Structures are given as C-alpha cells and as structure tokens.
Amino acid sequence: MLARIAHDLYWLGRNLARAEFTARAVEAVFQAEVQGASDAMPSVSFGSSGLLAMLGDDAERQRSDSAEALARLTLDARRPGSMLASFERAREGARTVRDVISAEMWEAINTTTLSLRGGGQSGWAVPAGPYLAAQYIKQRTALIWGVASRTMLRDEAKCFLDAGGTIEVSDMVLRMLRIALPRSEDASADGHALILLQAVGGFHAYLRAVTAPPNAHPVARFLLFERAYPDSVAACADSLHDAFATADAGPRNSKPVLRVSRLVADLDFQRRALPDGAELSGICERTQQELARIDGDVAERYFAGATPGQDRR
C-alpha cells in the first residue's frame, strides 16, 4: 500500500474517533452541569474547563464560561479540538482515499460534515445545542464505523483505519483519566468518576463488570486494564497490536509491533501487580507517552513517503 494512502486512512480513523469521544465528553459534562453536579460536588474537575485542558486549550479555559466552552467544542471550525474541525479533517482525508473506502462510507462522512458545517439541525442554537450536537455526532460516527466494518475489505486499508481509531481512543481515555484522577491519597475525584464513565460510554459496561461503586480508583482500573471492555487502554493496545501485525509484512522486525507488544505486556503486569487503591496517574502519563512513541514509530515505518506536514492533529 502507498504510504500516502496508509497515512490518510490512519488519520481518518483518528479524526473520527476524536470527534466521537469529544462528543461523548461534551454530552457527559453538559448533563452533569445541568443537574448541578459541579455545584453539589466542588471536587468535580472533569467539567468544561477540564475538557478544554484535555484538548490543549489551557489558556482559553481561563476566560471561557461553561456554555461558551461547550459551544466552541461543537461547531467552531476554527478550534482544532471541536467536533466540526475533526469532521472537516476526516472529510478531507476520506476524499483522498475514496477509491479505498466504500461509497457509502464517503457519503456518510460527507453528509455529516456538510450538516455540521451548515450549523446543524434546527434547535442547536438554544442552550441545549451542544448536547444535541453531541448526540448527532455519536449516532453518525457509529453509523460510519458500522458501514466501514460491513463494506470494507479486511485488508491493510482496514487495518490502518482501525489502528488510527484505536490509538486515538486510548489517547482520549488517558487524557480524560489524567484530568479526572486525584494526584494523592485524596479521594475527592470520586464525585466525577461517574461523569468520566459516561464520557467514555462505559457506564453500563462498568456496572456489569465491576462490583465496586463507581469511585475514582476502580473506574480508573476498569478503563486502564479491563480487556473485556473494547475502549479500555488494554483492549485498545491488543487491537492495535493485531492491526499492525496484520498490516506489516515483517511484524517480527517491526518497531511499532514490538513497542505495542511491550505495552500490552506492561499493562498486563501492572494489572496483576498493582494493589487496589494504588496511584494510577503516573501509569496514565507513562502510557500516554508510550503511545506517542508508537505514533512516531508508525509514521517512520509506514508513512515515510507521505507529504511532510500532513498529520491532521
């Protein structure tokens, strides 16, 4: 496969996953703030300011109120972290690989982007606009991933698309955990652990898999180590390994495959070795750094022929 095609598919997956998880986070924070969770629990840090920090807008969050922050994360194309900006990048990437993805997938991405670009549907300008936009994005990304699974060959192209989505999901989950987790023995983060579960769509899965109340540490362990939950970091690492091992002609000598293998083994060791209640912020930070190294290895091994500066971050 041409490096340019693999590159565009990889970043198409990343941008679709980023739009979806931004939508999930906006929806969870909107619901929590409407219900007064932030006032009832001053320890809740995973609010609109936490979202802006997660997406790298540390300076902006100092001068944005909640409603303005959530609005900017939906339909503000000038903000790289907004849902619209992610879909604009996804559409541009999908346009360049239209001969690889199916016509149905292109139509779904194109239609969604044009709808968002036009300001969305009626009623999105009211205070509930961010919530309605997030609902729409969740539904459309689910449709797009479903169409991809049913209409694309399970070849290198699908592997790079899936790999991009998987690495973005794990990175977004780690960003959320680093914002939400307490830095010490203080259990003040228990109040927003529930918001965090809702922000990644793992609330019902957690209730089925874990007997402990949804407090900070059991939620963090679930999102880090629970391989039965597809959006946990450990499950994403497994999927990432499978995708690269399938796409690579020489996986035994592939730096990305070997690095992901070490990450899988390290997460499994941490799951077994760490006692309940152990501090997990450091693990989240180190794992995110390792994912950044994997991303660099992927660019070096597979995208060497892609045009410099094309990464759609």
Side-chain angles (χ1 to χ4, degrees), residues 210-232:
V210 184
T211 57
N215 296 330
H217 288 293
V219 166
R221 288 186 67 95
F222 175 79
L223 293 177
L224 279 172
F225 304 129
E226 181 52 72
R227 281 185 159 84
Y229 177 58
D231 285 344
S232 73

Side-chain angles (χ1 to χ4, degrees), residues 125-146:
V126 300
Y131 175 81
L132 297 175
Q135 287 276 311
Y136 177 74
I137 292 293
K138 283 171 51 183
Q139 294 167 2
R140 297 299 294 181
T141 51
L143 170 67
I144 292 165
W145 284 112

Side-chain angles (χ1 to χ4, degrees), residues 20-21 23-25 28-29 46 176 194-202:
E20 177 186 359
F21 268 72
R24 290 186 180 279
V29 169
F46 194 73
M176 293 180 188
L194 183 60
I195 303 175
L196 178 62
L197 276 176
Q198 294 170 334
V200 299

